[in-house]
Amino acid sequence: MQFPDEDMTNQRDEIRTIGELARKARLTVRTLRHYDEIGLLKPHGRTRSGYRLYSDHDVDQLNLIVELRELGLPLKQIQRALQGGLAEVTDCVRELLPAVEQQLLSDQLRRDRLTELLQTLDGDGGSSTAKPSSRAVNIQQPSMTEAGRILKLGAVYSLTGVAQIHGLSARNAICLAQEEINSAGGVAGAMISVDIEDDASDRAQAALHTRRFIQQGQVVCLLGPGVSHLAVAAHSVANTMQTPMIASSNPGLDILGPSCPYPCEFIFRTSMGEDVILQTGLDVYSRRSQPKTGVLIWTSDDKLSSDGAQIIGGNANDYGIDLLDSIEFSKAEEDLSTYAQRAIKHNPDVIFVTSIGERPAHVMTAVRKLGFQGGFFGGYSFNPAAVVAAASAAGRGAQSITNWHVDNKVETNAEFVRNYRRKFGLYPDYQGAQAYAAMLAIADASQRANLTFVDAVGDRLRLHRALASTNIETPLGRLRFTREHDVSFDTYLVEMTGKGDQKMIAKTTR
């Protein structure tokens, strides 16, 4: 069924766009598209422009899907159940009950064992020679300081290697947040202690540090890594070991949601997805600058870059931009002149760049040297302070989209910027703001989670539940996690001045 664009207004009480439905259900647009692709939830119709439209019946169907997902059913089983009608749905729900009852019994037994252990320790007056009963689990107690109990956190970021510019400001912001929280009395009578490990921009090290933090460090929660292709290695470990991990700067595709390659129940993120960021940016940029032709230059050997290329390549035409060429290169390559020459032969209005590290700046410099006078556009990869500084005059006029900007005058952000500058002598960037927001979320959840500071395994589950109900003010805006543990903030179209900084030129309120 087809609907003209104007019908969206006339039938708004019955027909919803995909964005409206996503906001109402607290899901991402990408999730609804995935449901459409696998045939789980097809739209009621489309506009002449191809936009999906959903009816009240679709809303009811989505509510049932969400309910079944929260009960633990995988998508394939939900799809079979919905195709089989009410009787099949009823049978699927009935089949879940034995597993839930078994889990309740297991939790009760574990609670009894912990209670017995505490009674044994209390009866001995807290002596280190107390011997728990043979039924008690062997729980490693956290280190104690004069200040009292310790909330142990771990962070995995790239402090060296090609991705280090994505990790250094995050490290600074985490240290700042730890200092501020502890100076204010900590959380629930405990001081926060964050150990930060360098993954050296390597997937294997990211996974290794994550595992060590959980197994040996007995951390309750983790942060990082700083880029998406490292995150997929670390997050799968954290999720398997049921330890919450906050992806502070991982906007890549499939980090969260139903298309994530592994269960993502314990993964949260404080950065908006690149799909939302780039499409929002393309919309605003295309309306303001009205480019007709473009060329895409991207690195094919890291996740964020290839995800960005996929998003731009798949959506540019929807915004009236004819993509004339898609040029791949490796992030290990130093000489980009060949790719620059190929790009400017097309004389495009805009060059899109998706890459990590300082590569976006190197592309801009190479293209400008050949006389290119057109525009540049990108997503998160344009925004690190090191990229803006490296681009310098070559980047003048380059526009990008972000969910944080230093000039946002909201007091929470203004205070963060002041304190960061006072401590480090530098302006923060979006990675620092996202890591700082993650620390605030952990502190808030820890305050509400009734942590024991003795049972690391149990405390991880308690903190995981508390994180899901986060509702706090941060430098990014009000932080609430969706059902998929994702976020949605205001976005900002920013432009490089050519003097090593960016100015905000438009704001989109979500």
Side-chain angles (χ1 to χ4, degrees):
M1 181 182 297
Q2 293 289 328
F3 292 89
D5 292 344
E6 55 269 20
D7 283 356
M8 290 167 55
T9 301
N10 298 335
Q11 302 186 33
R12 185 164 294 279
D13 58 334
E14 297 178 358
I15 303 298
R16 297 166 178 83
T17 66
I18 192 169
E20 291 170 335
L21 183 59
R23 286 191 293 274
K24 182 179 180 63
R26 293 190 68 196
L27 298 172
T28 64
V29 169
R30 180 170 174 77
T31 295
L32 295 181
R33 287 177 177 156
H34 179 68
Y35 287 174
D36 181 9
E37 289 167 1
I38 66 174
L40 182 61
L41 181 69
K42 288 289 186 182
H44 180 71
R46 291 178 181 263
T47 67
R48 292 194 182 111
S49 302
Y51 291 101
R52 296 171 176 83
L53 298 174
Y54 293 86
S55 66
D56 288 339
H57 173 74
D58 297 328
V59 174
D60 293 339
Q61 186 91 332
L62 179 60
N63 288 336
L64 179 57
I65 291 169
V66 169
E67 181 74 17
L68 294 175
R69 280 288 283 167
E70 291 180 346
L71 288 172
L73 268 71
L75 289 180
K76 288 185 178 179
Q77 190 172 356
I78 294 174
Q79 190 167 19
R80 289 196 300 270
L82 294 178
Q83 291 171 349
L86 180 60
E88 185 68 26
V89 174
T90 303
D91 288 343
C92 285
V93 173
R94 185 176 289 113
E95 289 173 4
L96 278 176
L97 283 175
V100 173
E101 290 169 350
Q102 181 62 40
Q103 183 63 49
L104 287 172
L105 177 60
S106 176
D107 289 344
Q108 182 62 44
L109 291 172
R110 188 163 175 269
R111 178 182 180 278
D112 292 343
R113 293 167 68 187
L114 287 170
T115 301
E116 184 177 343
L117 172 61
L118 288 174
Q119 289 173 345
T120 302
L121 294 172
D122 289 342
D124 194 68
S127 168
S128 60
T129 60
K131 296 181 178 179
S133 71
S134 59
R135 291 182 61 238
V137 293
N138 180 21
I139 299 174
Q140 179 178 343
Q141 300 217 21
S143 302
M144 307 294 283
T145 70
E146 291 182 0
R149 299 177 293 186
I150 299 295
L151 175 60
K152 301 182 72 173
L153 308 177
V156 181
Y157 286 94
S158 301
L159 307 181
T160 58
V162 68
Q164 67 175 324
I165 68 170
H166 302 281
L168 294 176
S169 63
R171 177 198 61 186
N172 290 347
I174 289 170
C175 292
L176 173 63
Q178 174 183 281
E179 178 182 289
E180 291 176 349
I181 294 166
N182 287 343
S183 296
V187 293
M191 295 292 103
I192 290 181
S193 175
V194 188
D195 288 332
I196 304 176
E197 287 285 359
D198 176 18
D199 59 35
S201 305
D202 180 75
R203 286 169 55 95
Q205 289 200 47
L208 178 63
H209 288 314
T210 300
R211 186 175 299 277
R212 284 178 175 171
F213 269 133
I214 298 171
Q215 290 181 330
Q216 300 173 22
Q218 294 292 293
V219 300
V220 175
C221 187
L222 290 153
L223 300 95
V227 292
S228 297
H229 75 281
L230 304 180
V232 295
H235 291 172
S236 60
V237 174
N239 201 85
T240 298
M241 303 180 77
Q242 296 191 322
T243 302
M245 192 167 194
I246 300 186
S248 65
S249 296
N250 302 137
L253 303 178
D254 306 330
I255 295 295
L256 296 171
S259 54
C260 183
Y262 46 83
C264 295
E265 294 95 335
F266 283 80
I267 308 304
F268 299 76
R269 73 173 167 189
T270 53
S271 57
M272 289 175 64
E274 186 83 334
D275 53 342
V276 177
I277 282 285
L278 273 177
Q279 289 194 63
T280 301
L282 281 169
D283 181 38
V284 178
Y285 174 73
S286 63
R287 285 189 282 107
R288 292 177 62 89
S289 300
Q290 298 185 335
K292 299 302 181 185
T293 59
V295 166
L296 171 63
I297 303 179
W298 57 291
T299 45
S300 57
D301 48 358
D302 73 85
K303 178 173 172 54
L304 179 63
S305 304
S306 57
D307 286 350
Q310 176 184 334
I311 295 163
I312 291 173
N315 291 276
N317 190 61
D318 292 342
Y319 297 99
I321 304 170
D322 184 11
L323 200 60
L324 304 175
D325 200 355
S326 178
I327 304 171
E328 304 176 34
F329 70 100
S330 167
K331 60 177 180 282
E333 294 185 64
E334 297 293 336
D335 184 3
L336 303 180
S337 58
T338 300
Y339 306 109
Q341 290 170 358
R342 176 175 161 184
I344 66 171
K345 282 181 180 179
H346 297 284
N347 192 29
D349 295 329
V350 60
I351 292 179
F352 300 103
V353 186
T354 69
S355 187
I356 65 169
E358 294 185 8
R359 285 291 179 265
H362 299 166
V363 171
M364 294 179 205
T365 301
V367 171
R368 289 291 191 220
K369 283 182 178 178
L370 296 176
F372 178 68
Q373 298 296 316
F376 294 108
F377 182 83
Y380 278 119
S381 62
F382 272 30
N383 298 319
V387 172
V388 180
S392 190
R396 187 168 66 87
Q399 296 186 17
S400 57
I401 195 76
T402 179
N403 60 238
W404 176 85
H405 192 262
V406 68
D407 288 338
N408 181 6
K409 303 304 182 185
V410 174
E411 180 54 31
T412 308
N413 186 57
E415 182 180 9
F416 163 65
V417 173
R418 286 195 302 269
N419 293 343
Y420 190 101
R421 290 192 67 198
R422 186 182 301 120
K423 184 173 179 64
F424 302 107
L426 302 166
Y427 280 100
D429 61 15
Y430 75 99
Q431 288 129 329
Q434 291 167 347
Y436 186 87
M439 286 289 289
L440 296 184
I442 293 171
D444 169 74
S446 299
Q447 193 72 38
R448 297 181 286 104
N450 296 318
L451 302 179
T452 67
F453 302 99
V454 175
D455 173 19
V457 174
D459 280 350
R460 291 165 188 162
L461 299 177
R462 296 180 188 96
L463 185 61
H464 169 256
R465 289 192 292 269
L467 278 170
S469 56
T470 297
N471 187 354
I472 58 172
E473 285 296 336
T474 75
L476 304 167
R478 179 153 291 275
L479 173 57
R480 301 183 185 92
F481 291 114
T482 68
R483 288 188 179 94
E484 297 165 349
H485 302 165
D486 217 337
V487 289
S488 179
F489 298 114
D490 292 343
T491 56
Y492 307 91
L493 187 69
V494 296
E495 182 177 272
M496 295 186 192
T497 64
K499 300 178 181 179
D501 61 354
Q502 292 172 309
K503 62 181 180 181
M504 182 170 63
I505 58 177
K507 177 180 178 180
T508 302
T509 302
R510 299 189 64 79

